[in-house]
Amino acid sequence: MHNKTVTRLLLFIVLVTAAVSAQTARRPLKLDDLARFRDVRDPQISPDGQWIAYVVSTIDAKEDKSNTHIWLVGYDGKNDRQITFSSDSESAPRWSPDGKFLAFTSSRPGGKAKGNQVWLLDRSGGEAYQLTELKGRLQGYEWSQDSKRFALVIGDPDPDAPDPAATPTPGIPPKPPKPIVIDRYRYKQDVQGYLLSGRHTYIYLYDIATKKLDRLTKSKWDESSPSWSPDGKHIAFMTNHMDDPDRDPAAQLYVADAQPGATEKLLITPDNRASRARPEWSPDGKWIVFLEGDEKKFGAYNMEHLMFVPADSSAAPTRVKAVEDLDRGVSGLRFASDRQSLVALVADDRSVYPISATRTAVKRLLDSPVVVSSLSIAAGHTVLLSGNDAKPTEIYAMEGQKLRQITHQNDALMNELQIAQTEEVSFKSKDNTEVHGLLTYPAGYVKGTKVPLLLRIHGGPNGQDQHSFSIERQVFAANGYAVLAVNYRGSSGRGQKYSRSIFADWGHYEVEDLLAGVDHVIAMGVADPERLGVGGWSYGGILTDYIIATDTRFKGATSGAGTAFTVAFYGTDQYIIQYDYEIGPPWNPKAWETYVKISYPFLHADRIKTPTLFLGGERDFNVPVQGGQQMYQALRSLGVETQLVIYPNEFHGITRPSYVRDRYERYLAWYDKYVKNPTTPKKNVAETGTR
């Protein structure tokens, strides 16, 4: 071959190789990417099993808000398209049982009544139109089996709320808001605000043809979670008929004829302590399946149990022994297409997998590691949400014991990114208890390299870090940090004893488990012991305060929505039942000793040497921002580097997109300053305080 020809050929190969490499090169995640993630949720399969309506939430960075719309995709994954486009968002898609309509909820303009309403989209064509004109707060809805009625869950309107349609009169000042009068035992709830007497949530029947709205019962108690019987003649629902429902929030299961003003019939005793989750009828209408919680004092560590009860109340409810033997909580009840077995979800040791259960047996349907949610079943097809450590949540079909991906909302972004590797870790705590967690390596990690480590602590405590995509872990990994997530004692997914072991003893076993995890990653040769950071939100923020008051190795900390002086929050947050029944009221001498013991981060704040960033939402009723304020003031008084950030008008969860990004920016700046590049390194010595 001629030399010039060879040269040209080699040059062509080099250029092609470079082009392919450029196309396949991955880059670390940037904060600008936060606005590009698409949140996929609430899949609903059509009665014929051929179409899936679902919700996609995206971020409009320019408008600084989230937009939520309905999409439609074929079961085969084809013809995926957005079908609603308003500026006010839409959610909760639900197919009519005859398949002719798709309903959804939206507060978009359309009728005289304002607020969230039910809209209908005719599958034969045409624009969606507003169906309801509700004055109260729509909280849920369900189609009747004949597709002619809805069961609506509606909260009483606020009689003192200003009329949104009213026009101010020039020269006349608006009336001041009325004083807030409180007389309930439990009177606060995050986002919902103050819980006032005289306002209730009831189930209503709505006739689509006549648009007539009637109350199902004449009860004076709050109602929720309606579920139509297969023949459409009855509605099962949850309510609480105790004299003072605030003092015991467990529900009871009732059934009523699906007629206005019906008299409800109790199916279980108050001792069964049902959850508020929607009950499920068996296809033959003979049984109702529901979830039962634990006794009141263990509410913070609740593990829900699967229960069957005859719909005619001819026998007492029973638990499924085979499910009980799993020693794991269940959720997401749906009857399978075979009409014989029930499908439920089980949270188990960093995974959430489906099981098939009858009243005598249980079968696992997917192997770990896997995390699934939001089951929808029709015409022999099952769809659900799933993802993994390296892939955001999408819709999948469950076919046999395999998952087939249907939607690809995040594929374009993920094809650009270098995703950090996550692996399982297991280790022994101080008392030899086995503890499990997840370790995410920095993006592009070189084996054998010691890197800065962030211990990021989940909230709850009744939750778990699991094999699902974590933007937080990926953000830190993209910035050079290894991230350790530990399912400390108190977490779910490891059984009842494991979860309840921290009962009235907060900050003890959790701290031992978390520190053992850090020691394990140091021993692995991954974590640099001179560059350790810690942080979390909610109970994760509480445990951060415990950690830095116990061990001075951590060079930087971020504590979000936490508390450290527990007794100061009696009556100021939404956890009065836990205070009264897990610890006891403060005027009880024994309870007071417990309050003092579990308040050691504040009462011994002089042991804290770690520069700490405190954060919280201004309107948080779950863990009020005063918890961060107290710790900030303590460290500022002691001369420890600290800062307090309060997000205006935010609740317990920070949701405004610009604030979400701001929080990440502050995390990274704080950790980069004090953990990654510490200016005054301290000796690697743990100083453990005694409570």
Side-chain angles (χ1 to χ4, degrees):
M1 187 179 292
H2 196 278
N3 286 341
K4 288 185 177 180
T5 303
V6 173
T7 302
R8 289 172 181 167
L9 180 60
L10 291 173
L11 180 60
F12 175 76
I13 293 172
V14 169
L15 291 174
V16 170
T17 302
V20 172
S21 298
Q23 291 175 357
T24 59
R26 304 292 184 105
R27 60 172 177 80
L29 176 69
K30 300 181 295 185
L31 291 184
D32 287 342
D33 296 318
L34 295 177
R36 297 179 60 194
F37 281 101
R38 304 171 75 83
D39 183 13
V40 178
R41 55 180 184 261
D42 201 8
Q44 298 290 324
I45 194 164
S46 60
D48 62 5
Q50 298 305 307
W51 294 94
I52 304 158
Y54 66 103
V55 174
V56 178
S57 181
T58 58
I59 292 173
D60 185 335
K62 184 178 180 180
E63 296 293 328
D64 199 14
K65 68 174 186 176
S66 296
N67 294 319
T68 302
H69 298 297
I70 310 297
W71 285 61
L72 193 67
V73 64
Y75 180 75
D76 58 6
K78 299 177 181 179
N79 203 17
D80 192 9
R81 64 194 188 277
Q82 183 177 334
I83 61 173
T84 64
F85 298 89
S86 84
S87 60
D88 289 282
S89 294
E90 302 86 17
S91 60
R94 298 293 184 268
W95 297 94
S96 60
D98 61 12
K100 294 180 179 180
F101 295 92
L102 180 66
F104 60 86
T105 61
S106 178
S107 57
R108 55 161 75 171
K112 296 180 181 179
K114 306 297 182 182
N116 208 27
Q117 304 290 337
V118 177
W119 290 66
L120 279 188
L121 185 63
D122 191 327
R123 293 286 290 122
S124 63
E127 296 293 327
Y129 60 92
Q130 183 176 327
L131 181 66
T132 61
E133 294 275 358
L134 308 175
K135 295 181 180 179
R137 297 166 288 118
L138 177 63
Q139 298 179 18
Y141 73 105
E142 180 165 311
W143 286 93
S144 64
Q145 298 303 314
D146 60 5
S147 302
K148 295 180 179 180
R149 293 189 292 173
F150 284 115
L152 303 178
V153 181
I154 305 173
D156 290 339
D158 183 355
D160 298 325
D163 183 357
T167 303
T169 303
I172 299 179
K175 292 182 179 180
K178 291 185 177 181
I180 300 170
V181 180
I182 293 169
D183 58 5
R184 291 177 59 168
Y185 169 71
R186 183 177 179 273
Y187 69 95
K188 301 180 82 171
Q189 180 66 42
D190 194 43
V191 181
Q192 196 172 339
Y194 292 107
L195 307 179
L196 306 180
S197 295
R199 292 176 61 189
H200 294 283
T201 299
Y202 298 126
I203 296 171
Y204 289 78
L205 298 174
Y206 183 88
D207 185 274
I208 295 173
T210 64
K211 295 190 175 182
K212 188 178 181 183
L213 183 70
D214 295 291
R215 266 205 64 195
L216 173 65
T217 74
K218 297 179 180 179
S219 167
K220 63 180 181 179
W221 294 276
D222 291 317
E223 301 163 341
S224 65
S225 313
S227 178
W228 292 83
S229 62
D231 61 8
K233 295 181 179 180
H234 309 283
I235 294 178
F237 61 96
M238 294 300 181
T239 184
N240 184 338
H241 285 197
M242 304 292 284
D243 291 338
D244 187 354
D246 285 348
R247 292 184 180 271
D248 191 346
Q252 297 98 47
L253 173 64
Y254 282 80
V255 170
D257 292 339
Q259 299 296 330
T263 299
E264 64 272 33
K265 179 175 67 174
L266 179 65
L267 289 192
I268 61 175
T269 70
D271 293 337
N272 287 119
R273 302 191 55 76
S275 83
R276 291 276 176 177
R278 176 184 174 276
E280 182 83 351
W281 290 79
S282 64
D284 60 10
K286 294 181 178 180
W287 295 88
I288 299 178
V289 188
F290 66 98
L291 296 176
E292 180 182 51
D294 293 323
E295 55 186 297
K296 181 165 50 179
K297 68 178 181 179
F298 293 118
Y301 320 102
N302 187 51
M303 191 172 79
E304 294 191 324
H305 309 268
L306 182 63
M307 304 288 290
F308 280 78
V309 64
D312 61 3
S313 68
S314 59
T318 56
R319 291 184 179 181
V320 179
K321 184 180 184 303
V323 176
E324 286 298 293
D325 289 343
L326 295 175
D327 190 25
R328 297 292 186 269
V330 297
S331 63
L333 309 180
R334 294 290 184 273
F335 267 91
S337 294
D338 64 10
R339 302 176 63 86
Q340 302 298 318
S341 59
L342 180 85
V343 180
L345 301 180
V346 174
D348 184 5
D349 194 12
R350 296 163 288 193
S351 285
V352 180
Y353 52 77
I355 60 170
S356 174
T358 65
R359 283 180 291 129
T360 58
V362 62
K363 177 184 177 182
R364 183 167 174 166
L365 300 180
L366 291 173
D367 293 329
S368 298
V370 68
V371 174
V372 303
S373 63
S374 302
L375 292 167
S376 182
I377 301 172
H381 291 165
T382 298
V383 297
L384 45 75
L385 296 178
S386 189
N388 56 40
D389 297 309
K391 180 180 287 188
T393 297
E394 298 279 0
I395 298 174
Y396 290 76
M398 185 170 70
E399 298 173 334
Q401 290 190 310
K402 294 183 179 180
L403 295 178
R404 172 177 58 84
Q405 188 171 345
I406 294 178
T407 62
H408 298 268
Q409 292 282 345
N410 289 286
D411 281 10
L413 174 59
M414 298 306 292
N415 288 336
E416 299 177 20
L417 301 180
Q418 179 186 25
I419 298 301
Q421 174 191 351
T422 297
E423 68 179 26
E424 294 186 350
V425 290
S426 299
F427 47 88
K428 294 295 181 66
S429 191
K430 183 178 180 180
D431 63 355
N432 213 36
T433 296
E434 184 172 313
V435 180
H436 300 161
L438 297 169
L439 175 63
T440 300
Y441 291 88
Y445 176 73
V446 177
K447 189 175 181 179
T449 306
K450 292 184 178 181
V451 295
L453 173 71
L454 299 181
L455 171 64
R456 296 295 300 179
I457 310 171
H458 73 72
N462 193 21
Q464 66 169 357
D465 283 307
Q466 57 196 23
H467 288 290
S468 53
F469 190 76
S470 168
I471 292 178
E472 177 182 283
R473 293 200 292 262
Q474 292 296 331
V475 165
F476 290 134
N479 284 273
Y481 295 94
V483 185
L484 176 63
V486 175
N487 286 323
Y488 51 85
R489 273 172 280 187
S491 303
S492 59
R494 292 289 304 281
Q496 189 177 84
K497 181 180 178 181
Y498 191 89
S499 179
R500 290 183 180 181
S501 61
I502 68 169
F503 179 85
D505 190 20
W506 310 340
H508 178 193
Y509 293 121
E510 311 101 295
V511 171
E512 291 180 359
D513 296 348
L514 292 164
L515 293 179
V518 172
D519 292 339
H520 177 73
V521 180
I522 292 173
M524 290 172 63
V526 175
D528 181 348
E530 295 292 342
R531 293 186 292 172
L532 303 177
V534 61
W537 197 268
S538 193
Y539 200 71
I542 293 171
L543 289 179
T544 295
D545 295 345
Y546 281 122
I547 287 283
I548 60 177
T550 301
D551 193 324
T552 61
R553 287 181 296 174
F554 295 90
K555 300 298 191 293
T558 64
S559 176
T563 66
F565 189 30
T566 311
V567 71
F569 281 76
Y570 183 95
T572 67
D573 61 23
Q574 63 187 41
Y575 296 104
I576 186 60
I577 291 176
Q578 186 176 9
Y579 290 126
D580 275 351
Y581 293 95
E582 181 177 344
I583 304 174
W587 47 89
N588 181 309
K590 187 175 181 180
W592 179 256
E593 293 176 6
T594 301
Y595 281 110
V596 171
K597 182 180 70 171
I598 64 179
S599 297
Y600 76 83
F602 182 76
L603 297 178
H604 298 288
D606 55 333
R607 296 173 178 165
I608 298 174
K609 310 301 178 187
T610 303
T612 304
L613 174 67
F614 296 97
L615 311 95
E618 181 188 33
R619 299 173 64 185
D620 188 346
F621 271 12
N622 186 324
V623 186
V625 72
Q626 286 82 358
Q629 290 174 343
Q630 285 183 320
M631 285 301 294
Y632 162 78
Q633 188 65 71
L635 296 197
R636 178 58 67 199
S637 297
L638 289 164
V640 178
E641 281 296 311
T642 187
Q643 193 175 80
L644 174 65
V645 178
I646 301 173
Y647 291 105
N649 297 314
E650 292 291 279
F651 302 109
H652 191 60
I654 306 301
T655 58
R656 187 167 187 153
S658 62
Y659 291 162
V660 172
R661 175 169 180 147
D662 179 88
R663 184 168 58 169
Y664 278 123
E665 289 174 341
R666 293 182 187 277
Y667 283 163
L668 289 171
W670 197 265
Y671 286 138
D672 285 354
K673 180 178 180 180
Y674 294 106
V675 178
K676 185 183 287 185
N677 304 298
T679 55
T680 55
K682 301 172 185 176
K683 293 182 180 180
N684 181 24
V685 177
E687 298 178 9
T688 303
T690 302
R691 289 176 287 140

